[in-house]
């Protein structure tokens, strides 16, 4: 799975950057708001980061581990306006290199470092970070119980974990809903989805306290609106996809399949999206 995720993000880096800029995650709008233009795209992805900071109560100046940092979009906000020190890990060497390049361009190289590293096999000492931040990376990690245990290990006592993630409705899905979900998983190189409630249960089982979840499905689903989410070059459609698949391998096509499948998933209510925050108990608690 890790090798496939690495390949997927290596081969789609420029496609995501052309479409979403520095962020590789959903945008956030007020529920019912319609997306506008290209500028709105960037405002909406910036907003998701600010919403998660506010929801998690992320303190300015914190030492942060960004699990699945992409090309560093969220990290630039944490290290810039919030004054955090950010260590970012991604499975993709190409993403890590691009993130370091962007940090240097923005004058943030001293407060950020990005590297290729599997969070589930990281070499950070216990109690290294005030915050573990994971935006849309947890869906790629199969063992979520082990993820929460590892987050707890690397957090300092009193530290916070802040997660934004694709998810599914709690409980059984219908056969038709499961088919859509399975297609999303396959094309986006993800092993499974958990419900937001399942994340809450796993965080509690790992010993976290002050756990909260919020469902942002209605705030982010716009990200896949046709005409907004579609890649402009798709006007010349199939031939471009054929060329990309030939040059980079067929996995790259997952980038194009995400939109219609996610829209369908959100429409049926089978696919959800939300945030999770939790605290590692302070020493003695
Ligand atoms: C959808 S992108 C999100 C990127 C970034 N968080 C953002 O919001 O722009 C998913 C990221 O998770 C990373 N990822 C997935 N599994 C990982 C793991 N086990 N260790 C480190 N990074 C991982 C991928 O390499 C990729 O950078």
């Amino acid at each position: 799975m890790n090798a496939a995720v690495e390949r997927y993000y290596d081969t789609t880096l420029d496609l995501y950057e052309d479409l979403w800029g520095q962020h590789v995650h959903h945008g956030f709008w007020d529920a019912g708001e319609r997306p506008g233009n290209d500028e709105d795209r960037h405002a909406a992805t910036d907003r998701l980061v600010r919403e998660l900071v506010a929801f998690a109560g992320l303190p300015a100046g914190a030492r942060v581990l960004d699990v699945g940092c992409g090309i560093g979009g969220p990290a630039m906000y944490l290290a810039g306006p919030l004054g955090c020190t950010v260590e970012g890990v991604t499975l993709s060497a190409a993403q890590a290199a691009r993130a370091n390049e962007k940090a240097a361009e923005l004058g943030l190289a001293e407060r950020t470092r990005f590297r290729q590293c599997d969070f589930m096999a990281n070499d950070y000492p216990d109690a290294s970070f005030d915050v573990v931040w994971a935006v849309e990376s947890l869906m790629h990690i199969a063992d979520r119980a082990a993820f929460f245990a590892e987050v707890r290990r690397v957090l300092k006592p009193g530290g916070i974990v802040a997660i934004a993630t694709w998810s599914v409705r709690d409980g059984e899905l219908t056969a038709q809903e499961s088919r859509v979900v399975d297609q999303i998983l396959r094309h986006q190189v993800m092993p499974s989805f958990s419900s937001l409630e399942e994340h809450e249960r796993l965080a509690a089982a790992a010993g976290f306290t002050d756990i909260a979840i919020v469902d942002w499905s209605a705030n982010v689903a716009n990200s896949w609106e046709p005409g907004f989410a579609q890649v402009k070059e798709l006007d010349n459609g199939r031939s471009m996809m054929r060329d990309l698949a030939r040059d980079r391998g067929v996995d790259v096509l997952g980038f194009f399949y995400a939109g219609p499948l996610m829209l369908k998933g959100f429409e049926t209510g089978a696919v959800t999206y939300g945030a999770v925050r939790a605290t590692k108990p302070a020493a003695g608690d």
Side-chain angles (χ1 to χ4, degrees):
M1 180 53 74
N2 278 3
V5 173
E6 177 185 355
R7 196 168 56 243
Y8 178 74
Y9 286 109
D10 278 353
T11 56
T12 55
L13 191 156
D14 57 331
L15 302 176
Y16 279 110
E17 196 169 358
D18 283 353
L19 184 62
W20 290 103
Q22 62 182 356
H23 295 286
V24 193
H25 59 78
H26 285 70
F28 188 106
W29 294 263
D30 290 329
E33 194 185 341
R34 312 295 303 172
N37 45 27
D38 262 7
E39 228 166 83
D40 183 32
R41 184 187 308 281
H42 301 304
T45 44
D46 286 346
R47 181 170 169 193
L48 186 128
V49 175
R50 291 197 311 273
E51 293 286 341
L52 184 59
V53 165
F55 175 70
L58 201 143
R63 177 160 157 73
V64 179
L65 175 62
D66 183 350
V67 175
C69 58
I71 58 169
M76 301 307 164
Y77 176 75
L78 302 182
L82 266 195
C84 297
T85 306
V86 185
E87 180 88 16
V89 293
T90 166
L91 293 175
S92 158
Q95 282 188 331
R98 184 77 184 110
N100 282 317
E101 199 175 272
K102 288 178 86 69
E105 280 164 20
L106 293 169
L108 292 171
E110 280 184 8
R111 284 217 295 279
T112 57
R113 182 171 79 125
F114 302 96
R115 65 185 185 119
Q116 184 186 32
C117 165
D118 175 4
F119 171 67
M120 300 305 289
N122 73 74
D123 51 5
Y124 297 109
D126 295 356
S128 296
F129 297 96
D130 304 305
V131 172
V132 172
W133 168 273
V135 173
E136 302 193 19
S137 50
L138 187 47
M139 316 85 64
H140 291 296
I141 295 175
D143 189 344
R144 295 189 184 118
F147 167 83
F148 279 105
E150 187 57 15
V151 169
R152 186 172 171 173
R153 185 187 71 76
V154 298
L155 273 179
K156 296 177 187 169
I160 292 170
V161 58
I163 298 166
T165 186
W166 307 19
S167 47
V168 281
R169 193 182 62 228
D170 207 31
E172 284 288 302
L173 301 184
T174 66
Q176 201 182 353
E177 288 172 339
S178 295
R179 268 197 297 280
V180 175
V181 167
D182 287 347
Q183 285 181 64
I184 295 171
L185 293 172
R186 182 155 44 86
H187 289 302
Q188 295 299 299
V189 207
M190 296 166 181
S192 65
F193 290 131
S194 302
S195 67
L196 292 170
E197 292 81 354
E198 178 65 5
H199 288 90
E200 192 175 25
R201 291 189 283 271
L202 290 171
F208 284 90
T209 56
D210 300 326
I211 305 166
I213 55 172
V214 60
D215 188 327
W216 282 340
S217 307
N219 301 101
V220 305
N222 273 345
S223 307
W224 306 107
E225 282 258 314
F228 182 68
Q230 301 297 333
V231 185
K232 290 188 206 85
E233 289 83 343
L234 264 190
D235 291 344
N236 65 25
R238 303 232 155 259
S239 65
M240 179 210 179
M241 288 168 69
R242 216 174 28 241
D243 291 350
L244 278 170
R246 191 196 51 225
D247 296 345
R248 306 184 187 191
V250 288
D251 293 351
V252 74
L253 297 180
F255 175 82
F256 300 99
Y257 296 139
L261 286 168
M262 286 296 283
L263 263 188
K264 209 189 262 185
F266 276 126
E267 269 162 25
T268 62
V271 171
T272 59
Y273 183 105
V276 184
R277 62 91 62 211
T279 304
K280 174 173 171 171
D285 282 3

